[in-house]
Amino acid sequence: MSMDARKFRILQAIIDDYILTAIPVGSRTISKKYETGLSSATIRNEMSDLEELGYLDQPHVSAGRVPSPKAYRLYVDQLLKQGKISEADVAGIREHFSDRVRQMEDVIGHAAQVLSSLTHYTGLVMSPKGVEMRIRNLQLVPVSAASALVVIVTDGGIVRDTVIRVGNDMDADALYAISRMLTEQLGGHTLSEARRLIAGASADVQRKQEMLSGISELIADVEQQQGKGKLAVVGTSNILNFPEYSDVEKAKSFLSVLEGKERLLGLLEQHQEMAFTVRIGPETGIPELSDCSLVTATYRLGDHQHGTIGVIGPTRMQYGHVLGVLGAMGDMLTQLLRPEKE
Amino acid sequence: MSMDARKFRILQAIIDDYILTAIPVGSRTISKKYETGLSSATIRNEMSDLEELGYLDQPHVSAGRVPSPKAYRLYVDQLLKQGKISEADVAGIREHFSDRVRQMEDVIGHAAQVLSSLTHYTGLVMSPKGVEMRIRNLQLVPVSAASALVVIVTDGGIVRDTVIRVGNDMDADALYAISRMLTEQLGGHTLSEARRLIAGASADVQRKQEMLSGISELIADVEQQQGKGKLAVVGTSNILNFPEYSDVEKAKSFLSVLEGKERLLGLLEQHQEMAFTVRIGPETGIPELSDCSLVTATYRLGDHQHGTIGVIGPTRMQYGHVLGVLGAMGDMLTQLLRPEKE
DNA sequence: GTTAGCACTCAAACGGAACGAGTGCTAACA
DNA sequence: TGTTAGCACTCGTTCCGTTTGAGTGCTAAC
């Protein structure tokens, strides 16, 4: 016995119905609403086969059937093959981003917000992870008599700053001179190279040494921050709208995974080279998310950096719609974050 | 009939027990566990009086009594009068902040994290709201041939930046010259003054005009950002650990208030001049939070700016502990964020 | 291969009985 | 006059048996 066209159509119908209603689907429902040519008894036979093949589960003997993760996998693969992105989704996103570009972090938070409100699931946006970022400019800005702000601009346009102590006798011009020198020596180098250069530099004066180590720390910070990637999570409470999470225990374990962002980051960092990723239930590898699906897409920042956006919802997710929204949003972000022409 | 010392003791006992167990307290419980000198019948009479006075509610006739918001109010006022802050809380916080100071935003997120984990409620930290912030320095940093980064440093140490377009013929030195000029002219002025000055400046060249308007926009941004205040919310899912939120509907409405941060910001901005604020149930003014209490405290950044930290939990909150933690955290933040000596 | 029919299963909904925590009231007591 | 023992009463909770109905598997006929 194997999967034929009719079995596939029936499976599709079951999945569609279950995604819509969240209640186990019976043979009569399919016979009446979908495959009108066949009687419920026939459907029953087919469903029995599908169960044997591993595509359907039965909560208990007198309930209908529920799609298994394997079924969703088949369904999604089919969806990805035909690769449809709805025009409506693109329009919706364009509308939400009509206002002018703001800071990177705002964009990220905003994007997660839009994902959540368009899909009614939980929206995730991870900031780009820098691969081999290079320093473009480094500048010291006086803050008070004894301290200065170090600003680092990288080729990705990422800016990071911190306050360090400098000598008392540094005026703005002196700081600028130092900035020029540092930019000249470190510009074009990667972050780790820059740190090595600083470490190697002989510090003739104690004060200067102090300053350099402050800068070095900042660079390390940037490296680490970019290595990790910031994560915005919006719409966690949406999950409570779905009947499968009316059990408080389930909801709690779901929410605590989303709050402790580490594991989530780990998931988002996998398969970053793929345009789309769909992980269904157990495929996430996180037991607490075994009733959830995670759909991700990628956006680019410049040529070498890419970030990830995603949506988490119940396994019976509207995959088509979510894929559409994510695709459109990915394009939008790539376009929005394109570095100025050089 | 009025409140005498014994009634007060009994009320205190009821509140203590209810905070601990979350189940309505019966007269026998009080008689056995607390006021051992009195029989349950006597307690019953007193409880009846307390109910008449508005301090107790009865879910239904055959259940025990539950403290009313008015009772918590009395309880908290008493607590505030004796103003006790536990040493253990101070130590706990100091421990969590042992690592070096990082960026303002990190500190805020981290503080919310610590509040949440020490209290097991939801932790809130709002960034300082700038009153009359003054510009200390303004600097243009080259980013690419045609664009530059504007960095603004204010007297509160707040740094904000954005990328603007500049003319093609601007090299680093030219930008620096402009920076010096701008700093000279705008330094010491408040944000709104600075914007007025820029608006008034006659722009001889088109390019310069473009640049100035970019800077002006950034200043407006800083004003607005600081006017609003950023808000970190951590530990929302903690609420699900409490039996009063085992009802999914309640949990959902609570969580959605926390997600749409606007109303929360409004609450936190009220009474910012108070060292401590306790708002119990209906006192919050938000219907969805009528079973919650919000406790806030203030920290300072410099002399003129203050931010708010807070904890949201069920009305039967461990007020003493929360006040202790918030007090200690407020001091910690004030100390941590003290601007460098000038 | 398809379908009608039928016996069977089992979760969910329903409903009444028993339980028990807690109250209010009254009368007796110190 | 305040305290307490006693008792009737209330009412939510729990338990348990019944009914309902959706859905299945199997068999026999088409």
Side-chain angles (χ1 to χ4, degrees), chain B residues 161-175:
Chain B
D161 49 66
T162 196
V163 174
I164 62 170
R165 309 187 62 69
V166 294
N168 265 328
D169 50 357
M170 296 281 187
D171 65 358
D173 287 331
L175 287 176

Side-chain angles (χ1 to χ4, degrees), chain B residues 7-170:
Chain B
K7 278 195 179 54
F8 188 80
R9 275 208 317 282
I10 292 175
L11 181 58
Q12 185 111 4
I14 294 173
I15 296 176
D16 283 338
D17 199 78
Y18 188 70
I19 284 180
L20 216 66
T21 64
I23 49 182
V25 188
S27 54
R28 245 177 84 82
T29 310
I30 297 300
S31 161
K32 284 208 298 194
K33 284 210 288 186
Y34 300 87
E35 290 281 334
T36 40
L38 296 174
S39 79
S40 67
T42 309
I43 304 287
R44 216 140 53 221
N45 289 331
E46 295 288 49
M47 284 167 91
S48 176
D49 289 354
L50 283 168
E51 183 171 355
E52 203 174 319
L53 287 167
Y55 290 108
L56 293 179
D57 291 331
Q58 207 169 9
H60 56 86
V61 63
S62 75
R65 303 306 213 289
V66 165
S68 72
K70 188 175 170 189
Y72 287 119
R73 170 51 57 200
L74 191 69
Y75 180 88
V76 167
D77 286 348
Q78 188 68 15
L79 221 55
L80 287 174
K81 214 182 292 170
Q82 61 199 53
K84 62 168 186 181
I85 289 181
S86 134
E87 270 309 307
D89 296 332
V90 180
I93 286 175
R94 206 164 289 280
E95 196 178 317
H96 276 89
F97 267 103
S98 57
D99 26 16
R100 70 195 171 82
V101 186
R102 280 147 302 179
Q103 293 217 301
M104 172 78 126
E105 294 196 351
D106 295 340
V107 173
I108 286 178
H110 192 203
Q113 185 74 56
V114 172
L115 283 181
S116 152
S117 74
L118 284 184
T119 62
H120 305 296
Y121 302 122
T122 300
L124 308 171
V125 178
M126 189 170 72
S127 69
K129 189 174 151 183
V131 200
E132 288 268 318
M133 261 196 311
R134 286 168 189 283
I135 291 179
R136 187 179 285 164
N137 201 314
L138 197 152
Q139 193 124 353
L140 298 166
V141 181
V143 164
S144 70
S147 60
L149 184 78
V150 193
V151 180
I152 292 183
V153 182
T154 69
D155 58 354
I158 305 288
V159 171
R160 199 80 190 164
D161 49 66
T162 196
V163 174
I164 62 170
R165 309 187 62 69
V166 294
N168 265 328
D169 50 357
M170 296 281 187

Side-chain angles (χ1 to χ4, degrees), chain A residues 8-284:
Chain A
F8 188 81
R9 274 208 316 282
I10 292 175
L11 181 58
Q12 184 110 4
I14 294 173
I15 296 176
D16 283 338
D17 199 79
Y18 188 71
I19 284 180
L20 217 64
T21 64
I23 49 183
V25 188
S27 54
R28 241 176 88 81
T29 310
I30 298 299
S31 160
K32 284 209 299 194
K33 285 211 289 186
Y34 300 87
E35 290 281 334
T36 39
L38 296 175
S39 79
S40 67
T42 310
I43 304 288
R44 216 140 54 220
N45 289 331
E46 295 288 47
M47 283 168 92
S48 177
D49 289 356
L50 284 168
E51 183 170 356
E52 202 173 321
L53 287 167
Y55 292 107
L56 293 179
D57 291 330
Q58 209 170 7
H60 54 88
V61 63
S62 76
R65 303 306 213 288
V66 165
S68 73
K70 188 176 170 188
Y72 287 119
R73 169 52 56 201
L74 191 69
Y75 180 89
V76 167
D77 286 348
Q78 187 68 15
L79 221 56
L80 287 174
K81 214 182 290 169
Q82 59 200 53
K84 62 169 186 182
I85 289 182
S86 136
E87 270 309 308
D89 296 333
V90 180
I93 285 175
R94 206 164 289 281
E95 196 178 317
H96 276 89
F97 267 102
S98 55
D99 26 16
R100 70 195 171 80
V101 185
R102 281 146 303 178
Q103 294 217 297
M104 172 78 127
E105 294 197 351
D106 294 340
V107 173
I108 286 178
H110 192 202
Q113 185 75 55
V114 172
L115 283 181
S116 152
S117 75
L118 283 183
T119 62
H120 305 295
Y121 303 122
T122 301
L124 307 171
V125 177
M126 189 170 71
S127 70
K129 189 173 149 182
V131 199
E132 289 266 317
M133 263 196 312
R134 286 169 189 282
I135 290 179
R136 188 178 284 165
N137 200 314
L138 197 153
Q139 194 124 352
L140 297 166
V141 180
V143 164
S144 69
S147 61
L149 184 79
V150 193
V151 180
I152 292 183
V153 182
T154 69
D155 58 353
I158 304 288
V159 171
R160 198 83 189 162
D161 50 67
T162 195
V163 174
I164 62 170
R165 309 187 62 71
V166 294
N168 264 328
D169 50 357
M170 295 280 187
D171 65 359
D173 287 331
L175 287 175
Y176 179 63
I178 297 178
S179 305
R180 285 219 62 171
M181 198 187 71
L182 284 172
T183 302
E184 203 157 300
Q185 295 194 356
L186 302 179
H189 290 281
T190 65
L191 295 176
S192 43
E193 281 169 7
R195 278 209 294 155
R196 226 169 301 127
L197 282 173
I198 290 178
S202 66
D204 38 0
V205 200
Q206 151 90 35
R207 259 202 324 272
K208 197 169 161 191
Q209 177 58 43
E210 224 175 83
M211 198 170 72
L212 286 181
S213 78
I215 295 175
S216 181
E217 257 182 53
L218 174 59
I219 297 178
D221 229 46
V222 177
E223 271 188 299
Q224 201 193 340
Q225 283 286 340
Q226 285 316 111
K228 272 196 308 188
K230 282 216 168 177
L231 179 61
V233 180
V234 175
T236 49
S237 69
N238 280 348
I239 201 82
L240 296 177
N241 291 317
F242 300 106
E244 41 266 74
Y245 282 89
S246 51
D247 175 17
V248 183
E249 280 309 310
K250 273 191 176 178
K252 188 164 49 177
S253 72
F254 172 83
L255 288 176
S256 41
V257 172
L258 292 200
E259 279 213 338
K261 298 182 174 174
E262 298 79 20
R263 283 196 283 177
L264 214 49
L265 271 172
L267 268 186
L268 289 176
E269 277 169 2
Q270 289 166 19
H271 312 298
Q272 271 200 321
E273 69 288 353
M274 308 276 288
F276 288 101
T277 291
V278 181
R279 269 161 285 185
I280 298 162
E283 295 175 11
T284 58

